Amino acid sequence: KAAGRNHFMFFHADMSRLAVSHYAMTADLRHAIARDEFFLNFQPIVGVQSGQIESMEVLLRWQHPVLGLVSPVEFIPLAESSGLIVAIGEWVLRTACTQLQEWRSLGYRLPHLAINLSAIQIHHSSILQTVTRILAETGLTASALELEITEGSLMNNTDEVVATLSALSQLGVQISIDDFGTGYSSLSYLKRLPIDTLKIDRSFVMDIGDAQDGTAIVAAIIAMARSLNLKVIAEGVESAQQLAFLQAQECDQFQGYLYSKPLSAAEMRQRLLRA
Ligand code: C2E
Ligand code: MG
Ligand code: MG
Ligand code: MG
């Protein structure tokens, strides 16, 4: 297999840089936990009516020793295809829960953490034990966790996925559908799966005010979420105009640069101190 890869890289010069860097990056990913190269950012999720931080999304960052900061958009797919996402995802869960406990012990009132889960983690049989163990280790209750799963990753929502998400939900963890509206999937899963929250993808939120269709889509998703008794969050809110629209439509929560970019743990602590 390795020889085949080398041949491919040798004979296809244009493709080779990409192939080499992905190959090398995957090799480096293998050591990233042990070498302490990962850290977390936290982005506030704010109540549209309250204006208060009600939750925060945990976003993984990789400080590569040579390449510098690598975007999760780049390395998460490699972590998924190599299977490393299972260990990395567990590191994210444990580190995030530990951080939340630390903030709480300092007296900050923080209800929730929203953590991204890859489809691979859901297919992996041990996710339920992993979540249960980390909650026990860190002394958090399941209600402190919201797990985000992209709509696209639910495309083949097998009985296995339904069973795993149901078990997580019964544990008391909240389940959110991330990037809602981009998955091209039939909406029937909304009835089959134990979902608490829809996160409207940034691409729709961006269109608020500019494109009439975009505005209509956001309004329709909020209305649908309300009638299904789901919480709805708008991602990527950058303008006051977008927020005003979300207020008028009674969207529940928002996150985006308008309120805050993702922050380091130290920056978040400063922010909480002032809140
Ligand atoms: P996501 O879960 O949809 O996260 C939201 C992304 O939008 C984040 O990008 C965030 O920094 C960005 N964002 C937030 N507000 C704004 C805004 O107002 N404007 C713009 N332009 N962008 C905004 P980020 O941190 O680069 O993460 C990208 C994706 O990588 C995430 O999308 C998620 O799918 C994935 N990801 C990040 N951390 C993890 C992780 O721990 N596990 C897994 N499986 N995936 C992760
Ligand atoms: Mg997310
Ligand atoms: Mg998203
Ligand atoms: Mg996204």
Side-chain angles (χ1 to χ4, degrees), residues 157-230:
N157 75 87
T158 55
D159 290 345
E160 186 200 351
V161 172
V162 177
T164 304
L165 292 182
S166 301
L168 285 167
S169 176
Q170 265 157 35
L171 200 66
V173 168
Q174 308 261 102
I175 307 289
S176 306
I177 299 302
D178 205 347
D179 302 348
F180 183 77
T182 61
Y184 308 105
S185 77
S186 146
L187 291 179
S188 62
Y189 75 85
L190 292 175
K191 290 190 298 184
R192 283 188 79 205
L193 296 176
I195 292 161
D196 303 287
T197 302
L198 299 183
K199 295 190 77 171
I200 308 172
D201 191 68
R202 181 161 63 87
S203 59
F204 300 113
V205 175
M206 254 166 56
D207 283 347
I208 292 174
D210 296 344
Q212 221 173 21
D213 289 352
T215 307
I217 288 172
V218 173
I221 295 174
I222 294 170
M224 184 187 71
R226 189 176 311 120
S227 61
L228 290 172
N229 258 317
L230 302 173

Side-chain angles (χ1 to χ4, degrees), residues 94-108:
R94 178 174 293 106
T95 308
C97 289
T98 305
Q99 184 60 258
L100 179 63
Q101 253 332 12
E102 189 188 310
W103 283 328
R104 283 185 173 177
S105 71
L106 291 168
Y108 305 120

